[in-house]
């Protein structure tokens, strides 16, 4: 039975081993080790036959796994070499006794020289070898089993199979509790050591890498590529070009309408400017977004009061036109009155015709001159007003772009601040998680070390139990 503290450690770390220690003791196990072709199968078969026939304490022969006793089968036709030593080293891990058997002595006349050489080699290289190799004639043992009776009994004794079985039974009959306990403690110690290595390797590398990545993201600028500013500058160029094109098309349409009726120039310009403002406002709102994002902004261009058109006044050109018209009309009237000169008193009719022609020509010329002057004056007035209106439109568009830039900068700054704050919160959480993880890891490592110290504490041997030492390498 184990000490109470050791028993607790075994129950927590190795419940299956603890159950094996506290259950019914298994049958003594003997592991058979040999280089293939050494006669191990025939030897184990004869040992089994003899074990069933002779009675006594039973043993179990196995080929794999750990066992307190190892039966190393050697062949009398060859000396022990590196292959045999490697097989013995692998099989004797955790064993307390190694029993060697030399088979095939009935087929090899020089087996005694091989036996002496093997004993010397095993004493020099095998740490668990006690200096004894049992020579066994497997064929003679099988012949003795067939003969039976006293002759078979004598032949069985001479074959060496009886001595080998008794030696194996004596080795397996030693108290197995201490051996089993040592094996389970060693297995549990390996489990604890591997757990400590895993805990030391788990230093939170994934959390540290995530923390480094988050810190780098938090240190990045809000808009490293200036994507928002580039988009707004492109929008500014496009909107100004749209304003220029709209003003040109409006000017052409208004001038064409004014040429037909110069007196309606203010009315025509007012209607055209309303349409122009609505179109420009729609384009700006569609390009920059809704205006309610900026307090006080408007979707439409503010209407501008047009300056009154200058009134028509008499000028020197108008008077000169009257004189020229009268002169031309008088000349035309005189030409029209020439046929009346052939008539008696025809000169009396020439005067009214001349006067009427002069007045009519003067009136027509003055009317035509005033119409042309009114058209030119209306065209100049329309051009001046559209120039002012375009300037107002450009200023309004630029103001909207500046507002959009300010809005975009404020939004980017707010988003960046929120993102940086979120990253800092995550970094703080990771730091806390790292501290908790490392604290738990260190606590678990310390608990593992305490359990190792309990397992490494020497346990005094009980009366009647042999002291078990740890297995040493065979080579």
């Amino acid at each position: 039975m184990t000490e109470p503290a050791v028993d607790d450690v075994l129950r927590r770390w190795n419940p299956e081993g603890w159950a094996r220690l506290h259950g019914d003791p298994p049958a003594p196990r003997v592991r058979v080790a040999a280089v293939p072709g050494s006669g191990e199968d025939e030897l184990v078969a004869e040992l089994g036959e003899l074990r069933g026939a002779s009675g006594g304490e039973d043993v179990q022969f196995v080929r794999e796994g750990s066992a307190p006793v190892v039966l190393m089968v050697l062949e009398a036709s060859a000396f022990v070499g590196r292959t045999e030593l490697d097989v013995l080293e692998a099989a004797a891990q955790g064993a307390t006794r190694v029993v060697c058997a030399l088979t095939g002595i009935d087929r090899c006349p020089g087996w005694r020289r091989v036996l002496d050489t093997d004993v010397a080699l095993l004493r020099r290289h095998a740490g668990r070898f006690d200096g004894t190799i049992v020579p066994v004639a497997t064929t003679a043992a099988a012949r003795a089993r067939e003969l039976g009776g006293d002759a078979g009994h004598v032949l069985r004794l001479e074959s060496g199979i009886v001595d080998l079985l008794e030696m194996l039974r004596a080795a397996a009959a030693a108290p197995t509790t201490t051996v089993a306990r040592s094996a389970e403690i060693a297995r549990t110690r390996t489990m604890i050591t591997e757990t400590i290595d895993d805990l030391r390797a788990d230093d939170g590398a994934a959390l540290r890498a995530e923390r480094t990545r988050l810190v780098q993201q938090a240190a990045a600028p809000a808009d490293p590529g200036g994507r928002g500013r580039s988009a707004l500058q492109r929008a500014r160029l496009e909107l100004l070009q749209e304003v220029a094109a709209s003003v040109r098309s409006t000017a052409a349409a208004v001038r064409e309408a004014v040429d037909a009726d110069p007196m309606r120039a203010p009315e025509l310009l007012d209607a055209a400017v309303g349409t122009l403002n609505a179109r420009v406002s729609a384009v700006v709102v569609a390009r920059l977004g809704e205006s309610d994002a900026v307090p006080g902004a408007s979707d439409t261009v503010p209407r501008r009061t047009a300056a009154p058109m200058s009134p028509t006044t008499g000028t020197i050109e108008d008077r000169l036109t009257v004189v020229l018209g009268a002169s031309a009309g008088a000349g035309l009237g005189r030409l029209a009155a020439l046929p009346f000169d052939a008539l008696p008193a025809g000169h009396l009719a020439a005067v009214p015709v001349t006067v009427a022609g002069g007045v009519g020509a003067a009136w027509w010329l003055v009317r035509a001159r005033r119409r042309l002057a009114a058209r030119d004056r209306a065209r100049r007035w329309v051009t001046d007003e559209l120039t002012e209106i375009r300037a107002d439109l450009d200023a309004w568009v630029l103001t909207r772009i500046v507002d959009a830039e300010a809005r975009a900068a404020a939004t980017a700054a707010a988003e960046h601040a929120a993102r940086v704050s979120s990253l800092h919160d995550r970094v703080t959480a990771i730091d806390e998680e790292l501290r908790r993880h490392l604290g738990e890891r260190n606590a678990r490592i310390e608990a593992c070390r305490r359990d190792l110290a309990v397992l490494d504490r020497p346990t005094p041997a009980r009366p009647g139990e042999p002291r078990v030492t740890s297995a040493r390498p065979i080579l």
Side-chain angles (χ1 to χ4, degrees):
M1 298 295 292
T2 60
E3 295 296 327
V6 177
D7 190 73
D8 292 339
V9 174
L10 289 177
R11 186 170 57 254
R12 285 187 284 106
W13 285 92
N14 188 7
E16 295 181 358
W18 181 84
R20 285 192 294 268
L21 289 178
H22 292 77
D24 295 334
R29 290 163 54 91
V30 175
R31 177 173 177 177
V32 180
V35 176
S38 301
E40 66 276 9
D41 295 334
E42 295 82 358
L43 179 60
V44 172
E46 292 301 326
L47 287 172
E49 293 290 341
L50 181 60
R51 179 188 59 187
S54 61
E57 186 174 355
D58 199 3
V59 293
Q60 179 184 3
F61 295 98
V62 296
R63 297 298 182 95
E64 301 291 339
S66 60
V69 180
V70 173
L71 171 60
M72 183 64 190
V73 181
L74 304 175
E75 220 279 322
S77 62
F79 300 106
V80 171
R82 172 60 60 182
T83 304
E84 287 79 5
L85 293 176
D86 290 340
V87 172
L88 181 57
E89 177 187 7
Q93 295 294 330
T96 59
R97 179 77 183 275
V98 174
V99 177
C100 294
L102 185 68
T103 62
I105 60 175
D106 50 348
R107 299 189 307 271
C108 300
W111 64 268
R112 295 185 182 278
R113 186 169 61 88
V114 174
L115 177 65
D116 296 338
T117 305
D118 289 348
V119 168
L121 289 173
L122 291 175
R123 282 178 176 174
R124 187 162 57 248
H125 296 289
R128 294 225 173 259
F129 179 65
D130 58 0
T132 303
I133 298 180
V134 180
V136 179
T138 307
T139 305
R143 178 62 179 166
R145 180 165 46 81
E146 294 175 357
L147 289 176
D150 294 338
H153 179 67
V154 173
L155 183 58
R156 185 181 299 111
L157 292 176
E158 292 179 352
S159 68
I161 192 72
V162 176
D163 294 337
L164 178 61
L165 181 59
E166 292 299 329
M167 187 176 295
L168 291 175
R169 283 176 172 175
T176 60
T177 303
T178 304
V179 176
R181 179 179 59 189
S182 300
E184 297 300 339
I185 288 176
R187 189 176 294 109
T188 305
R189 184 183 294 108
T190 301
M191 295 179 182
I192 298 176
T193 303
E194 292 176 352
T195 302
I196 291 177
D197 294 339
D198 294 340
L199 289 173
R200 286 175 177 171
D202 185 14
D203 59 348
L207 291 175
R208 297 179 189 275
E210 183 180 1
R211 185 185 186 281
T212 302
R213 180 177 58 83
L214 293 177
V215 170
Q216 293 176 352
Q217 291 181 359
D223 188 11
R227 293 183 295 272
R229 291 189 297 272
S230 299
L232 288 174
Q233 291 301 321
R234 185 167 57 252
R236 181 178 68 86
L237 294 176
E238 293 174 356
L239 290 176
L240 291 179
Q241 291 176 356
E242 180 66 23
V243 168
S246 299
V247 170
R248 285 195 300 269
S249 61
T250 301
V254 171
R255 280 196 296 268
E256 184 177 354
V258 166
D259 289 344
D261 190 359
M263 301 307 296
R264 295 183 57 201
E267 178 184 353
L268 296 174
L269 179 63
D270 184 70
V273 168
T275 304
L276 173 64
N277 290 346
R279 182 168 57 184
V280 172
S281 300
V283 172
V284 171
V285 170
R287 189 67 175 82
L288 298 181
E290 295 296 332
S291 63
D292 55 2
V294 180
S298 175
D299 286 345
T300 58
V301 181
R303 293 298 297 270
R304 177 179 179 275
T305 302
M309 194 166 50
S310 60
T312 302
T313 58
T315 60
I316 297 176
E317 289 82 0
D318 293 337
R319 297 187 183 94
L320 184 59
T321 299
V322 171
V323 173
L324 292 176
S327 300
L332 292 174
R334 183 63 181 144
L335 290 176
L338 286 177
F340 293 101
D341 290 342
L343 298 176
H347 62 280
L348 296 176
V351 174
V353 172
T354 302
V355 172
V359 172
W363 174 82
W364 183 83
L365 287 176
V366 169
R367 183 175 177 275
R369 172 68 181 83
R370 286 182 176 179
R371 185 176 181 84
L372 292 175
R375 187 187 63 179
D376 294 339
R377 184 169 61 252
R379 291 171 66 92
R380 287 194 302 271
W381 178 77
V382 168
T383 300
D384 294 341
E385 289 300 320
L386 287 177
T387 300
E388 296 295 332
I389 289 172
R390 178 178 177 180
D392 294 341
L393 288 175
D394 289 343
W396 182 77
V397 169
L398 292 177
T399 302
R400 290 298 303 274
I401 290 176
V402 170
D403 293 340
E405 289 179 347
R407 184 171 68 254
T411 302
E415 292 177 353
H416 181 68
R419 178 170 170 270
V420 170
S421 177
S422 176
L423 292 176
H424 286 167
D425 293 343
R426 178 56 183 159
V427 169
T428 302
I430 288 177
D431 291 339
E432 182 64 26
E433 187 175 356
L434 272 174
R435 285 192 294 268
R436 183 173 61 256
H437 174 75
L438 293 179
E440 293 176 355
R441 186 198 67 166
N442 294 336
R444 292 182 61 186
I445 290 177
E446 186 62 27
C448 292
R449 288 175 176 172
R450 289 195 298 268
D451 290 342
L452 278 180
V454 171
L455 295 181
D456 292 337
R457 188 181 305 153
T459 302
R462 298 178 181 179
E465 290 184 355
R467 181 178 299 276
V468 179
T469 58
S470 59
R472 294 178 297 168
I474 293 177
L475 295 183

